[in-house]
Amino acid sequence: MDPTPIWYRRHHPLSLALAPLGWLYCAVALVRRHGYRRGWFAVRRLPVPVVVVGNLTVGGTGKTPLVLRLAELAVARGWRPAIITRGYGARSGPWPRLAAAADDPLLVGDEPLLLARRGVCPVVVGPDRAADGALAIRRYGCNLLLCDDGLQHYRLARDLEIAVVDGERGLGNGRCLPAGPLREPGGRLGSVDLVIHHGGSAAGYRFGLVPGDAQALRDPARRRPLSGFRGQRVTAVAGIGNPGRFFAMLRAGGLLVDERPYPDHHPFSAAEAAHWPPGPVLMTEKDAVKCTAFAGPDHWVCPVAAAPDPAFVTALFARLGPAPAAHDETQSPSFTQQEIVSP
């Protein structure tokens, strides 16, 4: 059952019926956060800055493309970042482990594999973000950790918190799970360092996703601008938190879209792909990493790049300060994508 109609309508009858459970969930979340702040639960601080990019709501808000862009910007400013992530659905252990471009998405998760294939910096996967970060520091001498999600993972001490908000859907009906989409009360936004909205017209910092050329899954060297599909009927596949955003992006480019939404992190199979209509099939990077092995000749991935407000980038790196002196780099091993292996 798709909970979106329940969570994003203020007076949906089922949401009202579930409201007491939502109050309980919020209360538990508040007590848990208070416990970490008071020292009732152990918190681990690592010797490098930690930036957490998360959200209050369940579902996609564009965190992963934003984290990737922040990693690129950090590298350009002289930092040696690593991305640490839970790896939803990842089955491989022992944890933590470094994600490699050739990994099976079932072993490390779809989003970590997407990030690893971009090759910007090391990507460490595991349920304990503090252990993930420690491995990145030890293995590659990383001096900045970007946590993809994990706003509620309080065991890892953080220096900066960035909350990503869906600029169109906001915080939904404002209720906590299961009555609404919130993992913490909405007031939590007041305690983070930076809030950035994905699209929409809200005041403050915003970012959008800029589509690049489509790439054939069988042969990534084959590229085609989205405008090359204009006026053509295409099948759009999306197993992400908000599939409608992907479909809207394609329609904005003039494509005629046959929508095929799937649940977030859907484990695609060759049998499913065999039932997709003939003609171009376009999908997100997150979905493509799970479909490459059985892709057809007309299956395409549509990469996107996050474009945050310049003022947001300035505010973030002003808080971080300058990267450590260049001479520190001689004390640490360098990173290349080919070197990523499991511990």
Side-chain angles (χ1 to χ4, degrees), residues 15-191:
S15 175
L16 293 173
L18 293 172
L21 290 178
W23 300 335
L24 177 61
Y25 191 102
C26 278
V28 171
L30 285 169
V31 170
R32 179 175 173 273
R33 179 167 178 253
H34 182 71
Y36 276 101
R37 295 179 69 185
R38 297 283 294 179
W40 300 343
F41 309 123
V43 175
R44 184 175 179 184
R45 178 165 292 281
L46 298 175
V48 303
V50 174
V51 178
V52 174
V53 182
N55 61 322
L56 297 189
T57 56
V58 174
T61 54
K63 293 187 305 297
T64 298
L66 180 62
V67 168
L68 181 65
R69 181 57 182 153
L70 296 183
E72 293 171 339
L73 292 168
V75 169
R77 285 163 170 77
W79 290 92
R80 297 189 303 275
I83 297 172
I84 57 178
T85 178
R86 169 64 181 91
Y88 180 89
R91 301 174 186 173
S92 177
W95 306 115
R97 63 163 289 165
L98 290 151
D103 274 336
D104 185 330
L106 293 177
L107 299 182
V108 299
D110 46 23
E111 288 168 340
L113 183 54
L114 181 166
L115 291 165
R117 288 185 175 179
R118 289 292 189 101
V120 174
C121 65
V123 179
V124 183
V125 186
D128 184 344
R129 269 84 164 188
D132 300 344
L135 176 62
I137 296 167
R138 181 175 70 251
R139 178 70 65 87
Y140 288 110
C142 295
N143 56 19
L144 175 65
L145 300 175
L146 300 172
C147 188
D148 184 5
D149 208 357
L151 195 60
Q152 292 78 33
H153 188 85
Y154 292 113
R155 202 177 96 73
L156 174 61
R158 65 283 311 269
D159 298 273
L160 283 170
E161 291 184 327
I162 300 172
V164 183
V165 178
D166 189 316
E168 298 173 356
R169 303 195 297 183
L171 301 182
N173 60 17
R175 298 190 177 99
C176 280
L177 292 165
L182 296 183
R183 296 187 279 188
E184 292 185 281
R188 174 77 167 87
L189 287 181
S191 65

Side-chain angles (χ1 to χ4, degrees), residues 252-272:
L255 281 64
L256 305 176
V257 179
D258 175 15
E259 299 181 4
R260 296 294 177 98
Y262 292 85
D264 197 11
H265 301 285
H266 181 71
F268 291 96
S269 67
E272 285 176 316

Side-chain angles (χ1 to χ4, degrees), residues 283-309:
M283 64 188 74
T284 71
E285 286 181 278
K286 181 173 167 178
D287 300 313
V289 298
K290 294 173 286 191
C291 298
T292 303
F294 47 80
D298 213 5
H299 291 173
W300 302 78
V301 56
C302 300
V304 295
D309 289 339

